Every structure is written in C-alpha cells, then in structure tokens.
Amino acid sequence: MKRIIIFIFTTIQFMFVAQAAELKFVTHNFPPFSYIKGEALSGAAIDIVRQACDDTDISCSIELLPWKRSQFKVKRGLVQAMLVIGWNNKRAQWLTFSPPLLKTQYGFFVNSSNPLNYSSLSDLAGARVGVLESSNTSEHLKKIRQQMIEANLEPITIQEIHDNTQVFKMLNNEGRNIEMIYSNRDVGNTLIAQGNFNNVRYAGSNEELYYYIGYGRKHADKEVVDRFNMSLQRLQRSGVIQSILAGYNLESAEPE
C-alpha cells in the first residue's frame, strides 16, 4: 500500500511539473518572422512557436523588444529563448539551438538608381553599407570586409543601425549616408513592401543559411527545451511548419 501511495504521489508530482513547464521568448521587429500587426504579435516564427507550445502544453510568452534588449534579457536569464536567429560562433558560446526552422539568405539591397547586380566582392569596393547592429548580418558583414582586405580590395565602410526599418528608409532616400544594405532577403523585401520603399531593390545573394530558436545555455531548463524541440520536429515531419511558412512565402528547412 505504501508503494502505491508513493507511486501515485510521484506521478502527480511529475504531472504538476510537466503542466508548470514554461518558456519565455523574446523577439524583435523582424518581418515576416515577427512583427506587430494591429495590436497583436504576428509572423511566421510566432505562429510556429505558438503551435509548438500548444502541442507540448508548455506555457509560453513572447515579448517583442529592441534586439539588443532581447539579447540582454536572455543572457541575464530574465527569459529563456530568442527568435529567430542565425547560428554563429559567438552565439554558440551562450546559446543552444533548436532544429532549423526555415531556409533563407543574406544579400545586398541597393537604391534603384544603382545598376548593381551583386556577384563578387569586387562589386562592393569602397561602398558604404548599412546593417542592423548586434545582428548575425552584422557579424557576417564584418567577415566580408576582412575578406576584401585580404583580397587587396578597397574595403567597405560599415554603418550599424539600431532599427531595420530605419536603415531601409535611409537607402530609399538616395544619398543619405549609405549606398547598400546587407540584410536578410525576406526581411528586406517585407520592409520594402510595408514601408513603400519603392526606390530600394534586392541586388543579389551572398549566402544561404538556416534560422533557429536560441535558448540561453545557463538559464533554460534542458528538459523543457528538449520537449519543445521534439515538438518542433514532430510539426516539421507532419508538414505543419511547412504549411505555416508557405503562408508567408518562406522556404522550410528539410525535416531531420
């Protein structure tokens, strides 16, 4: 009888822990992945996270903040996860990563008066390039600059901007400090449509990559993270994530 009581107590205790599982996410204005529509948080990544939370009965909250503030909150353990992000070595030191959610690309945007169709580093010689500060695109652009120096090309000048919309607005007004933007293609095309930045166009891809959810290494509960990642894999195998992404004209990652 005593064993039965202990078993029941342990089972109830486990169920309570499972029900109490929680993940707090942060993101930033990063359409079409995360943005405010009306007064509600929307976007492809938001829809995927909400679906996975429902699938696992994990209590989830998602907060939209400036990107530097989002990273600060994850590092301090005020929240457990951030979305969506590209992988890089610096981030891997303080984050673990979900299975890849989608495939995307980085590339260059120019003012429509610029005839450039990007194909090689020599196309960038001496250019002033805007990029979102503290971002994966910023890290990649710094590597591009170093590659140009090593190739004896006149290196680009990098101008980091705190807001994606602002940097596209700058390029739309020809001659305002920058000649190009280095950005995610899907984000750039969405911002162009939303802001009616008709003087900006995509000049070509520099790199293809995957986007992930990042979890704070020090503060995210591994058991909860594993449950959440398993849910993402189920949703991917069943085609749910692909369906969500298709609604935003985005490309899915291959199921693991």
Side-chain angles (χ1 to χ4, degrees), residues 80-98:
Q80 293 81 44
M82 59 196 300
L83 60 108
V84 285
I85 58 173
W87 187 95
N88 65 46
N89 284 319
K90 287 185 179 179
R91 287 177 175 171
Q93 293 174 14
W94 58 280
L95 294 171
T96 62
F97 293 82
S98 70

Side-chain angles (χ1 to χ4, degrees), residues 4-251:
I4 294 173
I5 292 172
I6 292 173
F7 173 77
I8 293 172
F9 176 77
T10 303
T11 303
I12 292 172
Q13 189 178 41
F14 174 80
M15 290 173 62
F16 177 81
V17 170
Q19 290 173 355
E22 180 183 43
L23 276 175
K24 293 180 180 179
F25 296 84
V26 283
T27 188
H28 65 130
N29 184 42
F30 201 50
F33 308 112
S34 53
Y35 57 94
I36 298 293
K37 185 177 182 180
E39 296 183 358
L41 191 54
S42 187
I46 304 301
D47 293 350
I48 291 170
V49 166
R50 286 173 174 158
Q51 186 68 53
C53 291
D54 290 343
D55 183 64
T56 54
D57 290 326
I58 292 174
S59 175
C60 296
S61 63
I62 310 173
E63 185 178 13
L64 188 144
L65 295 169
W67 193 227
K68 288 184 75 173
R69 176 68 176 163
S70 293
Q71 294 177 76
F72 172 83
K73 292 192 78 166
V74 177
K75 288 178 178 178
R76 288 297 180 93
L78 302 174
V79 298
Q80 293 81 44
M82 59 196 300
L83 60 108
V84 285
I85 58 173
W87 187 95
N88 65 46
N89 284 319
K90 287 185 179 179
R91 287 177 175 171
Q93 293 174 14
W94 58 280
L95 294 171
T96 62
F97 293 82
S98 70
L101 300 183
L102 60 98
K103 186 185 293 185
T104 187
Q105 64 178 237
Y106 290 164
F108 293 93
F109 289 83
V110 297
N111 187 277
S112 298
S113 63
N114 187 335
L116 174 71
N117 288 309
Y118 174 78
S119 61
S120 68
L121 292 181
S122 61
D123 295 332
L124 309 175
R128 302 186 306 275
V129 186
V131 67
L132 180 67
E133 67 177 354
S134 302
S135 65
N136 199 45
T137 44
S138 175
E139 291 297 318
H140 282 243
L141 191 58
K142 290 170 185 174
K143 291 178 181 177
I144 290 171
R145 186 179 189 279
Q146 184 58 38
Q147 289 168 6
M148 294 179 73
I149 292 171
E150 292 170 0
N152 293 318
L153 295 170
E154 183 183 358
I156 55 175
T157 299
I158 298 174
Q159 183 169 346
E160 294 191 278
I161 313 294
H162 74 279
D163 179 76
N164 255 328
T165 302
Q166 181 62 31
V167 74
F168 275 85
K169 187 180 294 185
M170 289 170 64
L171 188 62
N172 192 59
N173 297 323
E174 185 180 2
R176 285 193 58 189
N177 303 322
I178 58 172
E179 299 169 73
M180 302 179 190
I181 295 169
Y182 189 62
S183 177
N184 177 285
R185 173 200 59 193
D186 301 310
V187 172
N189 286 333
T190 302
L191 290 173
I192 288 169
Q194 288 182 347
N196 293 316
F197 300 140
N198 299 320
N199 294 327
V200 180
R201 67 174 182 85
Y202 193 51
S205 169
N206 167 259
E207 180 178 356
E208 290 192 343
L209 71 160
Y210 293 110
Y211 270 174
Y212 307 82
I213 296 168
Y215 310 99
R217 281 187 179 275
K218 291 184 178 179
H219 305 289
D221 186 301
K222 185 179 184 304
E223 199 170 305
V224 175
V225 168
D226 287 346
R227 281 176 55 200
F228 191 83
N229 284 342
M230 288 175 64
S231 174
L232 291 173
Q233 290 172 326
R234 284 195 300 271
L235 294 173
Q236 197 172 52
R237 286 194 297 267
S238 64
V240 172
I241 288 178
Q242 291 88 328
S243 178
I244 290 171
L245 293 172
Y248 292 87
N249 295 314
L250 297 172
E251 187 178 356

